[in-house]
């Protein structure tokens, strides 16, 4: 009986320790957050940095509130967000399908191997001008930028993961007379979900790069357009504001991918 | 004609640098309902033979005839149990045991009930909605047995299925597999390097030589030993006699 009481209190102590530790982490996270913006504000006000270039949090905030009240910012946000999500989905799905084709035909994968290396090494944003001329200065070419930037790396990572599937799972399926498609569906694809998810996380960042660069070039609307416009008219408050919005939405997308991850691979 | 016949089978593995004669001129035949063991040192091509019988690989020379049909490619007639359970971790136990039925388009209420009844016989019906990671090694291998038997294969191929288990679990599982196979009157080939396991479970033992693997000697296990459960067999006076005999042959092989 005595020992049970001890265990109980020790467990409580342990839980208390965890809570204290957690509070400590959150405290420092908040501290960094506040310190960053405070330092930025002070540095800008006291002219430690050029306020024209680096703006200041209060100016950015005022501009944001202004834009929200005027309602002009929402169309830019929704356009960019739509392009990014579409580019992200197309890039990831196309990359996974390409990987599946390579897995399906070992001959094709041997033939295409050097080309994949070349395509992967090539800086995709350099294709921007060609895309815009080919597809027109429209949303299509911006989405294409968002997709093209992630498709090859997705193919390579996912294909590698397909090939690393434990051959014994395939053996189990084949011993039941499974077809190649059944092997893919039952073993190859599900065992590669962790790899696919980790490319999703990378692709979130890549798609934002592609779309923002695309908007730089097309320059009609969207957050990327606001950045390039702010740069041209030397309104760096606008640049900073757009950048902050991008950071916020990119983080939200990343978090959504994490939720999907937990749902898909909860049983491992 | 025997139920299963392996006729003059040889197999060579080719690679860029090397060619390996894995098995050479293997001949053996098994009657329906028999349990036989292939015993030998590691690298004697035991797994190669099972893969050939399962149709996973085509032998370089020779052929395998199961129930009067030559085996070409993978087919539904053989069930394969591996060293580890290889249950799919993203599927529940129930989904795992229905896998073979699903792949062969035999999944219906009747086969489902039958398979679940088998799971129940193994004392595992309470875990059917759990995932493999929640089960112990012995439980998982029992589920794996249910999965293999679900499609009602004519021939069972057991590739050291007990080797990854602790000794106590292994003894219990040997009895369970033995009794289940006898109950369903299944024919089985067990591949193992455990002499005791081979004696306790089989009607006949084929002792293989090392690289290239070929039948070195055949030991017939007397009925009085083959009919009783593996655990009882291990305590039978004849068991030690045969063990010594097999042991001596194995020693000779090493020289």
């Amino acid at each position: 009986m005595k020992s049970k009481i001890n265990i109980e209190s020790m467990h409580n102590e342990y839980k208390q320790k965890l809570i204290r530790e957690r509070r400590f982490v959150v405290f420092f996270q908040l501290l960094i957050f506040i310190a960053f913006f405070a330092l930025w504000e002070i540095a800008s006000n006291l002219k430690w940095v050029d306020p024209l270039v680096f703006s200041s949090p209060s100016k950015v905030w005022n501009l944001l509130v202004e834009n929200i009240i005027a309602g002009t910012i929402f169309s830019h946000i929704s356009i960019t967000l739509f392009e990014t999500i579409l580019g992200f989905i197309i890039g990831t799905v196309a990359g996974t399908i390409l990987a599946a084709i390579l897995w399906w035909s070992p001959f094709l994968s041997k033939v295409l191997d050097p080309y994949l290396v070349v395509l992967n090494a090539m800086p995709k944003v350099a294709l921007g001008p060609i895309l815009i001329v080919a597809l027109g200065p429209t949303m299509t070419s911006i989405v294409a930028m968002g997709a093209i930037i992630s498709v090859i790396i997705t193919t390579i990572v996912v294909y590698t993961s397909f090939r690393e599937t434990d051959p014994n799972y395939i053996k189990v399926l084949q011993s039941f007379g499974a077809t190649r498609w059944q092997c893919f569906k039952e073993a190859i694809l599900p065992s590669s979900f962790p790899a696919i998810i980790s490319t999703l996380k990378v692709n979130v960042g890549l798609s934002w790069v592609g779309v923002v660069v695309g908007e730089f070039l097309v320059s009609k609307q969207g957050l990327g357009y606001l950045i390039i416009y702010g740069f041209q008219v030397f309104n760096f408050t606008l640049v900073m504001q757009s950048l902050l919005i991008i950071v916020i939405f990119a983080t939200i997308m990343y978090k959504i991918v994490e939720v999907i991850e937990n749902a898909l691979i909860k049983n491992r | 004609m025997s139920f299963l016949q392996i006729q003059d089978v040889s197999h060579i593995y080719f690679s860029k640098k090397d060619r390996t004669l894995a098995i050479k001129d293997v001949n053996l035949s098994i009657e329906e309902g028999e349990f036989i063991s292939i015993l030998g040192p590691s690298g004697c091509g035991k797994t190669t033979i099972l893969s050939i019988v399962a149709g996973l690989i085509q032998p370089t020379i020779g052929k395998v005839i199961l129930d009067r049909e030559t085996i070409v490619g993978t087919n539904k007639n053989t069930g394969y149990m591996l060293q580890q359970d290889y249950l799919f971790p993203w599927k529940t136990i129930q989904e795992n045991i229905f896998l073979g039925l699903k792949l062969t388009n035999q999944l219906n209420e009747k086969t489902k009930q039958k398979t679940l009844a088998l799971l129940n016989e193994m004392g595992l019906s309470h875990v059917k909605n759990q995932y493999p990671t929640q089960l112990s090694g012995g439980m998982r291998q029992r589920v794996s047995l249910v999965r293999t038997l679900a499609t009602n294969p004519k021939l069972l191929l057991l590739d050291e299925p007990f080797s990854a288990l602790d000794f106590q679990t292994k003894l219990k599982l040997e009895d369970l597999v033995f009794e289940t196979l006898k109950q369903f009157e299944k024919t089985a080939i067990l591949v193992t390097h455990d002499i005791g396991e081979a004696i306790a479970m089989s009607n006949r033992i084929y002792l293989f030589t090392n690289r290239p693997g070929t039948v070195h000697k055949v030991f017939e296990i007397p009925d009085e030993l083959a009919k009783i459960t593996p655990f009882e067999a291990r305590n039978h006076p004849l068991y030690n006699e045969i063990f010594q005999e097999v042991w001596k042959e194995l020693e000779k092989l090493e020289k």
Side-chain angles (χ1 to χ4, degrees), chain A residues 219-265:
Chain A
S219 277
K220 267 187 187 159
Q221 52 194 353
L223 295 167
Y225 157 73
L226 287 184
I227 290 176
I228 209 84
Y229 174 76
F231 158 67
Q232 280 161 350
V233 301
F234 231 69
N235 180 357
F236 278 91
T237 306
L238 182 62
V239 174
M240 287 295 182
Q241 176 224 260
S242 310
L243 190 59
L244 278 179
I245 296 173
I246 290 174
V247 168
I248 290 164
F249 279 98
T251 309
I252 293 173
M253 263 177 87
Y254 190 88
K255 284 287 164 196
I256 292 173
V257 170
E258 271 190 347
V259 172
I260 297 172
E261 175 177 26
N262 289 334
L264 268 181
I265 51 182

Side-chain angles (χ1 to χ4, degrees), chain A residues 165-166 168-179 182-183 185-188 190-191 264 266-268, chain B residues 47 51 56 74-76 78 80 82 86-91 99-100 102-104 131 133 147-148 151 159:
Chain A
T165 303
D166 192 328
N168 286 308
Y169 287 122
I170 312 290
K171 207 169 177 179
V172 169
L173 292 171
Q174 283 179 336
S175 75
F176 289 121
T179 61
Q182 284 174 324
C183 289
K185 198 177 60 158
E186 301 291 344
I188 303 281
S191 80
L264 268 181
K266 60 180 178 219
N267 308 312
R268 297 172 203 209
Chain B
T47 303
S51 298
L56 294 169
T74 56
N75 55 75
K76 299 167 193 173
T78 48
Y80 205 121
L82 297 158
Y86 286 104
L87 297 176
F88 292 70
W90 50 85
K91 289 177 185 290
L99 183 67
K102 191 175 148 195
L103 293 173
T104 50
Y131 286 91
T133 44
R147 177 174 70 181
T148 310
T151 50
D159 191 353

Side-chain angles (χ1 to χ4, degrees), chain B residues 81 122 141-149 156 177 180:
Chain B
M81 249 179 109
M122 303 277 165
Q141 201 55 293
R142 272 185 281 165
V143 174
S144 169
L145 177 65
V146 175
R147 177 174 70 181
T148 310
L149 289 173
L156 263 104
V177 169
T180 312

Side-chain angles (χ1 to χ4, degrees), chain A residues 40-264:
Chain A
W40 184 6
E41 184 72 38
I42 293 166
S44 179
N45 277 337
L46 299 178
K47 301 223 166 22
W48 295 347
V49 294
D50 188 345
L52 201 61
V53 176
F54 290 97
S55 190
S56 74
S58 57
K59 278 195 243 167
V60 171
W61 177 252
N62 288 338
L63 181 68
L64 184 63
V65 172
E66 223 173 85
N67 283 338
I68 288 172
I69 291 167
T72 50
I73 196 74
F74 297 114
S75 68
H76 292 295
I77 293 177
S78 60
I79 287 275
T80 304
L81 203 57
F82 175 72
E83 289 164 348
T84 308
I85 291 171
L86 203 60
F88 165 76
I89 291 171
I90 293 173
T92 310
V93 170
T96 308
I97 291 172
L98 262 174
I101 293 170
L102 291 182
W103 175 81
W104 196 269
S105 164
F107 177 74
L108 194 66
S109 86
K110 276 177 203 152
V111 171
L112 292 183
D113 182 57
Y115 296 103
L116 279 177
V117 173
V118 170
L119 286 175
N120 188 42
M122 183 184 62
K124 261 71 67 182
V125 289
L127 286 176
I130 301 167
L131 277 179
I132 286 162
V133 175
L135 301 173
T138 56
M139 192 189 270
T140 319
S141 48
I142 298 175
V143 173
M145 280 291 293
I148 214 167
I149 201 166
S150 56
V151 68
I152 299 297
I153 189 69
T154 306
T155 307
I156 292 174
V157 174
V158 174
Y159 174 59
T160 308
S161 158
F162 281 172
R163 285 195 355 171
E164 280 167 1
T165 303
D166 192 328
N168 286 308
Y169 287 122
I170 312 290
K171 207 169 177 179
V172 169
L173 292 171
Q174 283 179 336
S175 75
F176 289 121
T179 61
R180 208 162 157 74
W181 163 244
Q182 284 174 324
C183 289
F184 181 79
K185 198 177 60 158
E186 301 291 344
I188 303 281
L189 193 61
S191 80
S192 300
F193 274 148
I196 293 174
I197 293 287
S198 70
T199 65
L200 285 183
K201 286 179 174 172
V202 176
N203 290 353
V204 167
L206 287 177
S207 302
W208 280 97
V209 173
V211 165
V212 167
V213 170
E215 287 180 349
F216 279 5
L217 296 170
V218 174
S219 277
K220 267 187 187 159
Q221 52 194 353
L223 295 167
Y225 157 73
L226 287 184
I227 290 176
I228 209 84
Y229 174 76
F231 158 67
Q232 280 161 350
V233 301
F234 231 69
N235 180 357
F236 278 91
T237 306
L238 182 62
V239 174
M240 287 295 182
Q241 176 224 260
S242 310
L243 190 59
L244 278 179
I245 296 173
I246 290 174
V247 168
I248 290 164
F249 279 98
T251 309
I252 293 173
M253 263 177 87
Y254 190 88
K255 284 287 164 196
I256 292 173
V257 170
E258 271 190 347
V259 172
I260 297 172
E261 175 177 26
N262 289 334
L264 268 181

Side-chain angles (χ1 to χ4, degrees), chain B residues 54-82:
Chain B
L56 294 169
I57 52 178
Q58 197 62 27
T60 315
I61 305 165
K63 60 180 175 179
V64 179
I65 302 168
L66 174 65
D67 206 7
R68 283 182 286 280
E69 277 175 58
T70 304
I71 288 178
V72 185
T74 56
N75 55 75
K76 299 167 193 173
N77 297 326
T78 48
Y80 205 121
M81 249 179 109
L82 297 158

Side-chain angles (χ1 to χ4, degrees), chain B residues 181-193:
Chain B
L181 295 188
K182 286 282 171 283
Q183 181 194 338
F184 293 101
E185 294 167 344
K186 294 283 176 206
T187 315
I189 304 177
L190 170 74
V191 151
T192 182
H193 55 251

